[in-house]
Amino acid sequence: MIITHGSNDEQLARTISRKLRALYSPLTVNLFPDGDLYVKFNTDVKGKKVVLIQSFYPNPNQSLLEVIFAAETAKELGAKKFILVAPYLGFLRQDKRFHPGEAVSSRIMAQLLNHCIDRIITIDPHLHRYRTLKNIFTIPAVKLTANEIIAQYIKKHYRNVFITGPDWESSQWAAAIAKSVGCDSLILQKHRTHARKVRVEMVSDVSVRGKEVIIVDDIISTGHTVAEAAKLLKKKGAKQVSVIGVHGLFVEKAVEKLRKAGISQIISTNTITHPTNKIDVSNLIVQSLRNIH
Ligand code: R5P
């Protein structure tokens, strides 16, 4: 097995290869002067199982193209199998044609990958309108979840917490994590009017007064969702609000926004490399790769 990576996830790829005692050989990724993508393997892949560790952030569009270039090249060079581990899989939020004429990016991304890779492994993909990854992937698609390691982190570092999901979709994380921690949870209702504008409201009469609340969500992108949720929880009397995101993209000064909203601790997993990474997903991936024969 060869563990490689493109522009993203260097640290995670190194850790995974060390834990698997597999050869670590990063791709060379460059841009030609005109911006064309250049990808090169630096080891012989013939007859090998090639595992590319590549989250789709930063630079989601280039990341996808790097995967396609690497997969097609591996095949041309005689690799036995090409497995993509995309701890954070992008494009999934565009899961329908919201306005006439729009591309349904998630389906197109999956179709492109179906053609060139043998298997995909991802962590907590944003499945909202798709029930499962099988709705878009025809290749074996493995969905891992960080729920349990997040719950373990909470148990180790917090006492008497209350879990909150900022929107209906987040209940798949919030409810499972709360169950494992053994605490109560609450799901808020989100209304999104724009990529940078959301309104969050409380639709049940559960009290958060005086409580230590942890917001959990899959993606923290601009931070608007979590910031609005935090402001509401504070207004309702929460003593302290923290956030744990599986995929911390933190675009457009999101961290600053979250701090301004009164969030005391901002925590993410290392599916995307960021200073807020506190929860390590490498064992989840290692275990999944060990299960492939
Ligand atoms: C969408 O429903 C996701 O679960 C997240 O809530 C969303 O991606 C967060 O985006 P932002 O941080 O830009 O509000």
Side-chain angles (χ1 to χ4, degrees), residues 5 12 14 18 35 68 86 91 110 112 143 160 164 180 183 190 198 207 211 222 235 247 276 288 290:
H5 66 86
L12 194 55
R14 276 183 194 277
R18 185 174 39 77
I68 296 170
F91 298 98
L112 290 168
K143 174 186 128 170
N160 302 323
T164 299
S180 178
C183 66
K190 176 169 89 178
V198 297
S207 170
K211 294 193 175 146
T222 65
K235 211 165 102 188
H247 311 297
T276 57
S288 177
R290 279 198 180 123

Side-chain angles (χ1 to χ4, degrees), residues 18-139:
R18 185 174 39 77
K19 290 184 176 174
L20 284 170
R21 294 170 198 261
L23 177 72
Y24 168 76
S25 174
L27 295 169
T28 298
V29 177
N30 277 322
L31 294 181
F32 285 101
D34 57 4
D36 281 359
L37 181 64
Y38 170 92
V39 168
K40 176 179 175 286
F41 278 98
N42 293 297
T43 187
D44 185 8
V45 297
K46 192 160 183 199
K48 300 279 169 52
K49 206 183 271 173
V50 178
V51 178
L52 174 68
I53 315 283
Q54 175 94 329
S55 272
F56 283 37
Y57 191 83
N59 302 317
N61 305 326
Q62 181 175 320
S63 297
L64 173 61
L65 209 55
E66 286 176 20
V67 174
I68 296 170
F69 279 29
E72 293 290 356
T73 308
K75 241 191 265 168
E76 282 169 26
L77 297 176
K80 195 161 93 190
K81 279 233 149 45
F82 188 93
I83 299 163
L84 169 65
V85 176
Y88 166 66
L89 182 62
F91 298 98
L92 289 176
R93 288 207 287 166
Q94 182 71 13
D95 56 2
K96 82 171 210 188
R97 212 179 313 284
F98 295 94
H99 302 287
E102 282 180 353
V104 183
S105 327
S106 48
R107 214 158 47 217
I108 300 169
M109 172 274 295
Q111 274 162 14
L112 290 168
L113 295 180
N114 284 332
H115 284 300
C116 61
I117 67 175
D118 295 301
R119 174 183 290 261
I120 180 167
I121 298 171
T122 184
I123 300 178
D124 292 314
H126 186 80
L127 295 177
H128 178 185
R129 288 171 190 86
Y130 301 124
R131 218 170 40 81
T132 111
L133 288 171
K134 287 198 177 76
N135 293 152
I136 48 173
F137 286 104
T138 51
I139 50 169

Side-chain angles (χ1 to χ4, degrees), residues 3 9 30 51 106 138 148 162 175 186 220 226 236 288 290 292:
I3 303 290
D9 281 330
N30 277 322
V51 178
S106 48
T138 51
E148 197 42 44
F162 186 88
L186 162 74
I220 304 174
V226 172
K236 298 280 183 186
S288 177
R290 279 198 180 123
I292 301 171

